[in-house]
Amino acid sequence: MKYNQLGESDLKVSEICLGTMTYGHQNTIEEAHQQLDYALEQGINFLDTAEMYPVPPRGETQGKTEAYIGEWLKNQQRDKLIVATKIAGPGRPFTWLRDGNNKIDHKNIQQAVNDSLQRLQTDYIDLYQIHWPDRYVPTFGQTVYNPEFERETIPIAEQLAAFAEVIKAGKIRYLGLSNETPWGVSEFIRIANQLGLPKVVSIQNAYNLLNRNFDSALAEVSRYTDVGLLAYSPLAFGFLTGKYIHNQQLENTRISLFPGFGQRYLKPNVQEAIIAYAEVAKKYNLTSAQLALAFVRSRWFVKSTIIGATSLEQLKENIDSVNVVLEGEIFEDLNAVYTCYPNPAP
């Protein structure tokens, strides 16, 4: 396992991060702790969660994921682990979370941080992320910016000032973004530098063989701001394992349990791309999952690849992908597929 530094922070995160959004819905607390124990044994020091987890988000389960982690975390050597969580933003019908008022403002930040600390049973959070922007932006499979959807928003300077307070209080160490745009990252950095406020150290966006949107403008921003990518959905909701080829539906999978979450993977050319990438994997004696995970890990701007699994067997296979290093001609083959099917599931 390799470890990468996040921006200008002193956080050195494992190249594989354990995602936890299934804990509390698809996974019991016993299964969650089994996964956490195994990940730690394999050298993973980085855990990612969110206040709204598990998915699908519901009032009756909200916060369970953090609570499951907290029951495990209280028995660990805390300074050896890097724990990341997220504050939910506005624009979602989460009436059960702070009465539906989820602006990224001083009051909500204070409450969200305190509630997460209590559930996680820890004194501090290493990386605290804005789950999606306070302002309107296309997210979670939306691709077209529409000014008609713009909403009242908390100024970025005000958001950063509120986060500065909880950082000064020692409740969080560093700030990160998620589901952000090139303009958003640039503004957060510019305003932080201008006003002497906390600089974000990471961005957590979707990135995989079916969605390489980060390769263009965000990659440039990442290079010049030193804000690295924490890549989520590296297996594209499981589609890049090959198990959904020809739209085969498997029971008790995310796509069958939560069909609304996988709409971006039902778009044109997704199946053709998956089949083509599976052929590349076969040519080099790899599984489709190994190829997909190793590709994400190979990108220069990726600091950690977030993996999640509902079974320990899946988790073991995904973590074992660290032993796969892509070199030479395989990138030519991958780029040939990408040329035919560029970003079919953005």
Side-chain angles (χ1 to χ4, degrees), residues 1-4 12-20 23 34-48 72-73 76-84 293 297 304-309 312 314-322:
M1 190 70 64
K2 295 178 181 177
Y3 301 86
N4 299 313
K12 294 198 73 173
V13 298
S14 49
E15 60 183 331
I16 297 289
C17 172
L18 182 61
T20 61
Y23 298 176
Q34 211 177 18
Q35 287 194 16
L36 288 159
D37 285 339
Y38 182 78
L40 187 61
E41 290 168 5
Q42 302 308 306
I44 291 176
N45 70 347
F46 191 21
L47 315 174
D48 181 71
W72 178 83
L73 192 60
Q76 307 304 315
Q77 192 171 344
R78 180 65 182 88
D79 62 351
K80 299 297 183 184
L81 293 165
I82 296 171
V83 178
L293 292 170
R297 212 178 69 252
S304 191
T305 301
I306 302 172
I307 62 169
L312 192 58
Q314 290 174 330
L315 183 65
K316 289 179 179 179
E317 180 185 357
N318 291 345
I319 294 176
D320 284 347
S321 71
V322 297

Coordinates of all heavy atoms in Angstrom, one line a residue, residues 1-4 12-20 23 34-48 72-73 76-84 293 297 304-309 312 314-322:
M1 N 0.8 -1.2 0.0 CA 0.0 0.0 0.0 C 0.9 1.3 0.0 O 1.8 1.4 0.8 CB -0.9 0.0 1.2 CG -2.0 1.1 1.2 SD -3.3 0.8 0.0 CE -4.0 -0.8 0.6
K2 N 0.6 2.2 -0.9 CA 1.3 3.4 -1.0 C 0.5 4.5 -0.3 O -0.7 4.4 -0.1 CB 1.6 3.8 -2.4 CG 2.5 2.9 -3.1 CD 2.7 3.3 -4.6 CE 3.6 2.3 -5.3 NZ 3.8 2.7 -6.8
Y3 N 1.1 5.6 0.1 CA 0.5 6.7 0.8 C 0.8 8.0 0.1 O 2.0 8.2 -0.3 CB 0.9 6.7 2.3 CG 0.6 5.4 3.0 CD1 1.4 4.3 2.9 CD2 -0.7 5.2 3.6 CE1 1.1 3.1 3.5 CE2 -1.0 4.0 4.2 CZ -0.1 3.0 4.2 OH -0.4 1.8 4.7
N4 N -0.2 8.8 -0.1 CA 0.0 10.1 -0.8 C -0.5 11.3 0.1 O -1.4 11.2 0.9 CB -0.9 10.1 -2.1 CG -0.5 9.0 -3.0 OD1 0.7 8.8 -3.3 ND2 -1.5 8.3 -3.5
K12 N -1.3 12.0 5.1 CA -0.8 11.0 4.1 C -1.8 9.8 4.1 O -1.8 9.0 5.0 CB 0.6 10.6 4.5 CG 1.7 11.7 4.4 CD 3.1 11.1 4.4 CE 3.4 10.5 3.0 NZ 4.8 10.1 2.9
V13 N -2.5 9.8 3.0 CA -3.6 8.8 2.9 C -3.2 7.6 2.1 O -2.5 7.7 1.1 CB -4.9 9.5 2.3 CG1 -5.4 10.6 3.2 CG2 -4.7 10.0 0.9
S14 N -3.8 6.5 2.4 CA -3.5 5.3 1.7 C -4.1 5.4 0.3 O -5.2 6.1 0.1 CB -4.1 4.0 2.4 OG -5.4 4.3 2.8
E15 N -3.5 4.8 -0.7 CA -4.0 4.9 -2.1 C -5.3 4.3 -2.3 O -6.0 4.5 -3.3 CB -2.9 4.4 -3.1 CG -2.6 2.9 -2.9 CD -1.6 2.4 -3.8 OE1 -1.4 2.9 -4.9 OE2 -0.9 1.4 -3.4
I16 N -5.7 3.5 -1.4 CA -7.1 2.9 -1.4 C -7.8 3.5 -0.1 O -7.2 3.4 1.0 CB -7.1 1.4 -1.3 CG1 -6.5 0.8 -2.6 CG2 -8.5 0.9 -1.1 CD1 -7.3 1.0 -3.8
C17 N -9.0 4.0 -0.3 CA -9.8 4.5 0.8 C -11.0 3.7 0.9 O -11.6 3.2 -0.1 CB -10.2 6.0 0.5 SG -11.4 6.7 1.6
L18 N -11.4 3.4 2.2 CA -12.6 2.5 2.4 C -13.8 3.4 2.4 O -14.0 4.2 3.3 CB -12.4 1.7 3.7 CG -13.6 0.8 4.0 CD1 -13.7 -0.3 2.9 CD2 -13.4 0.1 5.4
G19 N -14.7 3.2 1.4 CA -16.0 3.9 1.4 C -17.0 3.1 2.2 O -16.9 1.8 2.3
T20 N -17.9 3.8 2.8 CA -18.8 3.1 3.8 C -20.3 3.3 3.7 O -21.0 3.1 4.6 CB -18.4 3.6 5.2 OG1 -18.6 5.0 5.3 CG2 -16.9 3.3 5.5
Y23 N -23.0 0.9 5.0 CA -23.2 0.5 6.4 C -24.5 1.1 7.0 O -24.7 2.3 7.0 CB -22.0 1.0 7.3 CG -20.6 0.5 6.9 CD1 -19.5 1.0 7.5 CD2 -20.5 -0.4 5.9 CE1 -18.2 0.5 7.1 CE2 -19.2 -0.9 5.5 CZ -18.1 -0.4 6.1 OH -16.9 -0.9 5.8
Q34 N -16.2 -5.9 10.4 CA -15.4 -6.9 9.8 C -14.6 -6.3 8.6 O -13.4 -6.5 8.5 CB -16.3 -8.1 9.3 CG -15.6 -9.4 9.2 CD -16.6 -10.5 8.8 OE1 -17.7 -10.2 8.2 NE2 -16.3 -11.7 9.1
Q35 N -15.3 -5.5 7.8 CA -14.7 -4.8 6.7 C -13.6 -3.8 7.2 O -12.5 -3.7 6.7 CB -15.7 -4.0 5.9 CG -16.6 -4.9 5.0 CD -17.4 -4.1 4.0 OE1 -17.0 -3.0 3.7 NE2 -18.4 -4.7 3.4
L36 N -13.9 -3.0 8.3 CA -13.0 -2.1 8.8 C -11.7 -2.8 9.3 O -10.6 -2.3 9.1 CB -13.7 -1.3 9.9 CG -14.7 -0.3 9.4 CD1 -15.7 0.1 10.6 CD2 -14.1 1.0 8.8
D37 N -11.9 -3.9 10.0 CA -10.8 -4.6 10.6 C -9.9 -5.1 9.4 O -8.6 -5.0 9.5 CB -11.2 -5.8 11.4 CG -11.8 -5.4 12.7 OD1 -11.4 -4.3 13.2 OD2 -12.5 -6.2 13.3
Y38 N -10.5 -5.7 8.4 CA -9.7 -6.2 7.3 C -9.0 -5.1 6.5 O -7.8 -5.2 6.2 CB -10.6 -7.0 6.3 CG -9.8 -7.6 5.1 CD1 -9.1 -8.8 5.3 CD2 -9.8 -7.0 3.9 CE1 -8.4 -9.3 4.3 CE2 -9.0 -7.5 2.9 CZ -8.3 -8.7 3.1 OH -7.6 -9.2 2.1
A39 N -9.7 -4.0 6.3 CA -9.0 -2.9 5.6 C -7.8 -2.4 6.4 O -6.8 -2.1 5.8 CB -10.0 -1.7 5.4
L40 N -7.9 -2.2 7.7 CA -6.8 -1.8 8.5 C -5.7 -2.8 8.4 O -4.5 -2.3 8.3 CB -7.3 -1.6 9.9 CG -6.3 -1.0 10.9 CD1 -6.0 0.4 10.5 CD2 -6.9 -1.0 12.3
E41 N -6.0 -4.0 8.4 CA -4.9 -5.1 8.3 C -4.1 -5.0 7.0 O -3.0 -5.3 6.9 CB -5.5 -6.5 8.4 CG -6.1 -6.8 9.8 CD -6.9 -8.1 9.8 OE1 -7.0 -8.7 8.7 OE2 -7.5 -8.4 10.8
Q42 N -4.8 -4.5 6.0 CA -4.2 -4.4 4.6 C -3.5 -3.1 4.4 O -3.0 -2.8 3.3 CB -5.3 -4.6 3.5 CG -6.0 -5.9 3.6 CD -5.1 -7.1 3.7 OE1 -4.2 -7.2 2.8 NE2 -5.2 -7.9 4.7
G43 N -3.4 -2.2 5.4 CA -2.7 -1.0 5.3 C -3.5 0.2 5.0 O -3.0 1.3 4.8
I44 N -4.8 0.1 4.9 CA -5.7 1.2 4.6 C -5.8 2.0 5.9 O -6.2 1.5 7.0 CB -7.1 0.8 4.1 CG1 -6.9 0.1 2.7 CG2 -8.1 1.9 4.1 CD1 -8.2 -0.4 2.2
N45 N -5.5 3.3 5.8 CA -5.6 4.2 6.9 C -6.7 5.3 6.8 O -6.8 6.2 7.6 CB -4.2 4.9 7.2 CG -3.8 5.9 6.2 OD1 -4.4 6.0 5.1 ND2 -2.8 6.7 6.5
F46 N -7.4 5.2 5.7 CA -8.3 6.3 5.2 C -9.7 5.8 5.1 O -10.0 4.8 4.3 CB -7.7 6.8 3.9 CG -8.4 8.1 3.4 CD1 -9.0 9.0 4.2 CD2 -8.3 8.4 2.0 CE1 -9.6 10.2 3.7 CE2 -8.8 9.6 1.5 CZ -9.4 10.5 2.4
L47 N -10.6 6.4 5.8 CA -12.1 6.0 5.8 C -12.9 7.2 5.4 O -12.7 8.3 5.8 CB -12.5 5.6 7.2 CG -11.6 4.6 8.0 CD1 -12.2 4.4 9.4 CD2 -11.5 3.3 7.3
D48 N -13.9 7.0 4.5 CA -14.7 8.1 4.0 C -16.2 7.7 4.3 O -16.7 6.6 4.1 CB -14.6 8.3 2.5 CG -15.4 9.4 2.0 OD1 -15.1 10.6 2.3 OD2 -16.4 9.1 1.3
W72 N -16.6 1.3 16.2 CA -15.3 0.6 15.9 C -14.2 1.6 16.2 O -13.2 1.1 16.8 CB -15.3 0.3 14.4 CG -14.1 -0.3 13.9 CD1 -13.7 -1.7 14.0 CD2 -13.0 0.3 13.2 NE1 -12.5 -1.9 13.4 CE2 -12.0 -0.6 12.9 CE3 -12.8 1.6 12.8 CZ2 -10.8 -0.3 12.3 CZ3 -11.6 2.0 12.2 CH2 -10.6 1.0 11.9
L73 N -14.3 2.8 15.9 CA -13.3 3.8 16.0 C -12.8 4.0 17.5 O -11.6 4.2 17.7 CB -13.7 5.1 15.4 CG -12.6 6.2 15.2 CD1 -11.6 5.7 14.2 CD2 -13.3 7.5 14.6
Q76 N -9.8 2.0 18.4 CA -8.7 2.0 17.6 C -7.7 3.0 18.0 O -8.0 3.9 18.9 CB -9.1 2.3 16.1 CG -10.2 1.4 15.6 CD -9.8 -0.1 15.6 OE1 -8.7 -0.5 15.3 NE2 -10.7 -0.9 16.1
Q77 N -6.4 3.0 17.5 CA -5.4 4.0 17.8 C -5.7 5.1 16.8 O -5.4 5.2 15.7 CB -4.0 3.4 17.5 CG -2.9 4.3 18.0 CD -1.6 3.7 18.0 OE1 -1.4 2.4 17.8 NE2 -0.5 4.5 18.1
R78 N -6.4 6.1 17.4 CA -7.0 7.2 16.6 C -6.0 7.9 15.7 O -6.3 8.3 14.5 CB -7.8 8.2 17.5 CG -8.4 9.3 16.8 CD -9.6 8.9 15.9 NE -10.2 10.0 15.2 CZ -9.7 10.5 14.0 NH1 -8.7 9.9 13.4 NH2 -10.3 11.5 13.4
D79 N -4.8 8.2 16.2 CA -3.9 9.0 15.4 C -3.3 8.3 14.2 O -2.5 8.8 13.4 CB -2.8 9.6 16.3 CG -1.9 8.5 17.0 OD1 -2.3 7.3 16.9 OD2 -0.9 8.8 17.6
K80 N -3.6 7.0 14.1 CA -3.1 6.2 13.0 C -4.1 6.2 11.8 O -3.8 5.6 10.8 CB -2.8 4.8 13.4 CG -1.7 4.6 14.5 CD -0.4 5.1 14.0 CE 0.7 4.9 15.1 NZ 2.0 5.5 14.7
L81 N -5.3 6.8 12.0 CA -6.3 6.7 11.0 C -6.7 8.1 10.5 O -6.6 9.1 11.3 CB -7.6 6.1 11.6 CG -7.4 4.6 12.0 CD1 -8.6 4.1 12.9 CD2 -7.4 3.7 10.7
I82 N -7.1 8.2 9.3 CA -7.6 9.5 8.7 C -9.1 9.3 8.4 O -9.4 8.5 7.5 CB -6.8 9.8 7.5 CG1 -5.3 10.1 7.9 CG2 -7.4 11.1 6.8 CD1 -4.4 10.3 6.7
V83 N -9.9 10.0 9.1 CA -11.3 9.9 9.0 C -11.9 11.1 8.3 O -11.7 12.2 8.6 CB -12.0 9.7 10.4 CG1 -13.5 9.6 10.2 CG2 -11.4 8.5 11.1
A84 N -12.6 10.8 7.2 CA -13.2 11.9 6.4 C -14.8 11.7 6.4 O -15.3 10.6 6.4 CB -12.8 11.8 4.9
L293 N -10.0 -0.5 -11.5 CA -9.4 0.1 -10.3 C -8.0 0.5 -10.5 O -7.5 1.6 -10.0 CB -9.5 -0.9 -9.1 CG -10.9 -1.2 -8.6 CD1 -11.0 -2.3 -7.6 CD2 -11.5 0.1 -7.9
R297 N -6.3 4.3 -10.2 CA -5.1 4.5 -9.3 C -3.9 5.0 -10.1 O -3.0 5.7 -9.5 CB -4.8 3.2 -8.6 CG -4.2 3.3 -7.2 CD -3.9 2.0 -6.6 NE -2.8 1.3 -7.2 CZ -3.0 0.2 -8.0 NH1 -4.2 -0.3 -8.2 NH2 -1.9 -0.4 -8.6
S304 N -6.3 9.1 -3.8 CA -6.8 7.9 -3.2 C -8.1 7.5 -4.0 O -8.8 8.3 -4.5 CB -7.2 8.1 -1.8 OG -7.4 6.9 -1.1
T305 N -8.2 6.2 -4.1 CA -9.4 5.6 -4.8 C -10.3 5.0 -3.8 O -10.0 4.1 -3.0 CB -8.9 4.5 -5.8 OG1 -8.0 5.0 -6.7 CG2 -10.1 3.9 -6.5
I306 N -11.6 5.5 -3.8 CA -12.5 5.1 -2.8 C -13.3 3.9 -3.2 O -14.0 3.9 -4.3 CB -13.5 6.2 -2.5 CG1 -12.8 7.5 -2.0 CG2 -14.5 5.8 -1.4 CD1 -13.6 8.7 -1.9
I307 N -13.1 2.8 -2.5 CA -13.8 1.5 -2.8 C -14.8 1.2 -1.8 O -14.6 1.5 -0.6 CB -12.8 0.4 -3.0 CG1 -12.1 0.1 -1.7 CG2 -11.8 0.6 -4.1 CD1 -11.3 -1.2 -1.7
G308 N -15.9 0.6 -2.2 CA -16.9 0.1 -1.2 C -17.3 -1.3 -1.6 O -17.3 -1.6 -2.8
A309 N -17.8 -2.1 -0.7 CA -18.2 -3.4 -1.0 C -19.3 -3.8 0.0 O -19.3 -3.4 1.2 CB -17.0 -4.4 -0.9
L312 N -17.3 -9.1 2.2 CA -15.9 -9.2 2.5 C -15.1 -9.7 1.3 O -14.0 -9.3 1.1 CB -15.6 -10.0 3.8 CG -14.2 -9.9 4.4 CD1 -13.9 -8.5 4.8 CD2 -14.1 -10.8 5.6
Q314 N -15.8 -9.3 -1.9 CA -15.7 -8.2 -2.8 C -14.6 -7.2 -2.4 O -13.8 -6.8 -3.1 CB -17.0 -7.4 -2.9 CG -18.1 -8.2 -3.7 CD -19.4 -7.4 -3.6 OE1 -19.7 -6.7 -2.7 NE2 -20.2 -7.6 -4.6
L315 N -14.6 -6.9 -1.1 CA -13.6 -6.0 -0.5 C -12.2 -6.5 -0.7 O -11.3 -5.8 -1.1 CB -13.9 -5.8 1.0 CG -13.0 -4.8 1.6 CD1 -13.2 -3.4 1.1 CD2 -13.2 -4.7 3.2
K316 N -12.0 -7.8 -0.5 CA -10.7 -8.4 -0.6 C -10.2 -8.3 -2.1 O -9.0 -7.9 -2.3 CB -10.7 -9.9 -0.2 CG -10.8 -10.1 1.3 CD -10.9 -11.6 1.7 CE -11.0 -11.8 3.2 NZ -11.1 -13.2 3.5
E317 N -11.1 -8.6 -3.0 CA -10.7 -8.5 -4.4 C -10.3 -7.1 -4.8 O -9.4 -6.8 -5.5 CB -11.8 -9.0 -5.3 CG -11.5 -8.9 -6.8 CD -12.6 -9.3 -7.8 OE1 -13.7 -9.6 -7.2 OE2 -12.5 -9.2 -9.0
N318 N -11.2 -6.1 -4.3 CA -10.9 -4.7 -4.7 C -9.6 -4.2 -4.1 O -8.8 -3.5 -4.7 CB -12.1 -3.8 -4.2 CG -13.3 -4.1 -4.9 OD1 -13.3 -4.7 -6.0 ND2 -14.5 -3.6 -4.4
I319 N -9.3 -4.6 -2.8 CA -8.1 -4.1 -2.2 C -6.9 -4.8 -2.9 O -5.8 -4.2 -3.1 CB -8.1 -4.4 -0.7 CG1 -9.1 -3.6 0.0 CG2 -6.7 -4.2 -0.1 CD1 -9.3 -3.9 1.5
D320 N -7.0 -6.1 -3.3 CA -5.9 -6.8 -4.0 C -5.5 -6.1 -5.3 O -4.4 -6.4 -5.8 CB -6.3 -8.2 -4.2 CG -6.2 -9.1 -3.0 OD1 -5.7 -8.6 -2.0 OD2 -6.8 -10.2 -3.0
S321 N -6.4 -5.2 -5.8 CA -6.1 -4.5 -7.1 C -4.8 -3.7 -6.9 O -4.3 -3.2 -7.9 CB -7.3 -3.7 -7.5 OG -7.4 -2.6 -6.7
V322 N -4.4 -3.4 -5.7 CA -3.2 -2.5 -5.5 C -1.9 -3.3 -6.1 O -0.9 -2.6 -6.4 CB -2.9 -2.2 -4.0 CG1 -4.0 -1.3 -3.5 CG2 -2.7 -3.4 -3.2

